[in-house]
Amino acid sequence: QSALTQPASVSGSRGQSITISCIGSSSDVGVHKYVSWYQQHPGKAPKLMIYEVTNRPSGVSNRFSGSNYGNTASLTISGLLPEDEADYYCSSYTSTNTWVFGGGTKLTVL
Amino acid sequence: QITLRESGPTLVKPTQTLTLTCTLSGFPVSSSGVGVGWIRQPPGKALEWLALIYWDDDERYSPSLKSRLTITKDTSKNRVVLTMTNMDPVDTATYFCARSQDVSGYFLPYFDSWGQGTLVTVSS
């Protein structure tokens, strides 16, 4: 299985919105609703931000939202805040009952 | 409070076998719907899923590493152990364990709780 494809970096100004894409295949993103997104600050463990494409765990800001279309999932962060600056990873459950992560996207808040 | 804590050697030599332990607190590894997985991250690089074991002993492995990995659970000590054989310098990474938990029979293949990770360096 190949890693999901994410842009290496994105940036946005405080208060703006950004979207991070996650391109998979018909064996993962395109076949399941089981896409998730994780936020990771430097030196910290990843934190689940979105699951099942669009759902937020309790405690996650509603500024974070997810969507997908075909083999591509997306994470949108609205009203950017300085604390949103982090690495973001998408992940998908696959048709062979395993997991795959994306290459990660570094978000810079200007 | 749910916690996971990784432990194991910080340095291993090439060709050696790595054994990592994930000690769980706040939930039993034998509870229905629980899965505990291992994910690694080389310095400055992306996350890579390695393996997962479910409460019913169902084991899953990364296809690219399957031949080198074994995941087991110890219900009496509430922990999960990962072994990786034939270690190589490219296996240098922070290794995380994380929990997946179905809710009321609803399948939720996501990692909602993570350990802090343990850095393993492979060098002679």
Side-chain angles (χ1 to χ4, degrees):
Chain A
Q1 61 196 24
S2 300
L4 307 176
T5 300
Q6 299 180 231
S9 64
V10 298
S11 63
S13 299
R14 180 171 182 155
Q16 288 187 332
S17 297
I18 61 95
T19 296
I20 299 172
S21 61
C22 171
I23 302 172
S25 71
S26 57
S27 297
D28 38 63
V29 174
V31 72
H32 280 309
K33 60 180 178 179
Y34 302 129
V35 174
S36 54
W37 290 89
Y38 298 85
Q39 175 192 65
Q40 187 181 34
H41 287 109
K44 301 294 187 182
K47 174 186 176 183
L48 180 65
M49 304 299 285
I50 295 286
Y51 67 94
E52 212 163 88
V53 180
T54 60
N55 295 325
R56 286 184 306 276
S58 175
V60 173
S61 170
N62 59 8
R63 297 185 299 104
F64 292 81
S65 63
S67 63
N68 77 338
Y69 183 79
N71 295 339
T72 301
S74 299
L75 172 71
T76 297
I77 309 174
S78 58
L80 279 174
L81 296 173
E83 55 261 39
D84 297 333
E85 185 161 296
D87 293 328
Y88 291 85
Y89 293 90
C90 60
S91 178
S92 177
Y93 191 64
T94 76
S95 60
T96 54
N97 302 320
T98 59
W99 283 260
V100 62
F101 281 91
T105 299
K106 181 177 179 61
L107 169 62
T108 301
V109 180
L110 304 171
Chain B
Q1 181 184 2
I2 293 168
T3 63
L4 301 92
R5 187 181 79 251
E6 305 89 348
S7 58
T10 57
L11 179 67
V12 297
K13 290 181 167 50
T15 75
Q16 286 187 336
T17 294
L18 171 68
T19 299
L20 294 173
T21 300
C22 178
T23 302
L24 315 173
S25 177
F27 69 100
V29 69
S30 58
S31 179
S32 179
V34 167
V36 176
W38 287 91
I39 300 101
R40 71 178 179 179
Q41 185 173 38
K45 296 188 177 181
L47 301 170
E48 179 184 18
W49 176 77
L50 302 177
L52 180 138
I53 188 165
Y54 279 111
W55 85 100
D56 60 357
D57 291 325
D58 181 9
E59 300 167 25
R60 311 285 178 83
Y61 294 99
S62 166
S64 61
L65 293 168
K66 182 178 173 65
S67 64
R68 299 175 52 206
L69 297 173
T70 303
I71 190 169
T72 60
K73 63 179 177 61
D74 183 335
T75 301
S76 64
K77 295 182 179 179
N78 209 34
R79 64 187 189 187
V80 171
V81 175
L82 179 76
T83 60
M84 179 180 288
T85 61
N86 195 25
M87 294 292 286
D88 183 271
V90 300
D91 297 313
T92 294
T94 296
Y95 287 75
F96 296 97
C97 60
R99 185 190 80 155
S100 172
Q101 171 73 71
D102 296 347
V103 176
S104 300
Y106 193 73
F107 186 51
L108 294 173
Y110 313 107
F111 300 105
D112 62 356
S113 298
W114 294 65
Q116 82 282 4
T118 185
L119 176 61
V120 178
T121 301
V122 184
S123 175
S124 55

